[in-house]
Amino acid sequence: MELSGDFDEVVLTKESDEPNPEASHFLKVQSQLINEAIEKLPIEFREVVILRELEELSYKEIASITGIPIGTVMSRLSRARKRLSVCLRGVAPKQPAIKCRIELVQAGNNRVA
């Protein structure tokens, strides 16, 4: 397994399909931070982030489920992502910011809502 120098991404190699203990801990901590940041979002932002990033629904599907126009879905996602980025900026030691990669939430605790 390989880790990039600044921990922006964890790269798994053919040697092992699982990260080493240090990388596992890092992913767990990062996932927990992302979960906490998502939980702090207002419900209208949290809802679209979960549906798009965790459930991988299309904008059209999200609009249908939530009963809001597609443009509003895109606007809320944009605003939610900006809030998450600001919330997560600088929270990890020795890092200027964590890349806000929502899919990492799935690597750890899936309890978001």
Side-chain angles (χ1 to χ4, degrees), residues 28-70:
K28 184 177 179 181
V29 169
Q30 191 173 37
S31 294
Q32 183 178 358
L33 292 171
I34 292 170
N35 275 331
E36 290 171 4
I38 290 172
E39 288 175 7
K40 291 177 184 176
L41 288 173
I43 187 68
E44 64 271 9
F45 293 158
R46 186 177 345 138
E47 177 181 52
V48 294
V49 165
I50 291 170
L51 292 173
R52 177 67 182 157
E53 303 298 347
L54 299 180
E55 300 297 327
E56 298 180 353
L57 299 179
S58 69
Y59 294 159
K60 185 177 180 179
E61 292 170 317
I62 296 169
S64 175
I65 289 169
T66 59
I68 58 177
I70 291 176

Side-chain angles (χ1 to χ4, degrees):
M1 190 191 83
E2 229 177 272
L3 292 177
S4 66
D6 58 4
F7 286 100
D8 279 345
E9 282 187 44
V10 174
V11 180
L12 299 177
T13 64
K14 295 280 184 182
E15 298 171 11
S16 169
D17 288 339
E18 295 186 23
N20 66 32
E22 182 180 355
S24 292
H25 176 71
F26 177 79
L27 287 174
K28 184 177 179 181
V29 169
Q30 191 173 37
S31 294
Q32 183 178 358
L33 292 171
I34 292 170
N35 275 331
E36 290 171 4
I38 290 172
E39 288 175 7
K40 291 177 184 176
L41 288 173
I43 187 68
E44 64 271 9
F45 293 158
R46 186 177 345 138
E47 177 181 52
V48 294
V49 165
I50 291 170
L51 292 173
R52 177 67 182 157
E53 303 298 347
L54 299 180
E55 300 297 327
E56 298 180 353
L57 299 179
S58 69
Y59 294 159
K60 185 177 180 179
E61 292 170 317
I62 296 169
S64 175
I65 289 169
T66 59
I68 58 177
I70 291 176
T72 304
V73 169
M74 294 188 302
S75 174
R76 287 182 183 178
L77 274 170
S78 176
R79 291 178 182 171
R81 288 172 178 153
K82 285 179 185 175
R83 286 183 182 213
L84 287 171
S85 179
V86 168
C87 183
L88 295 171
R89 187 165 291 136
V91 295
K94 300 179 185 176
Q95 288 191 39
I98 291 177
K99 267 188 183 173
C100 194
R101 299 191 47 132
I102 303 302
E103 64 266 18
L104 289 177
V105 174
Q106 293 176 329
N109 179 353
N110 279 334
R111 188 184 70 76
V112 178

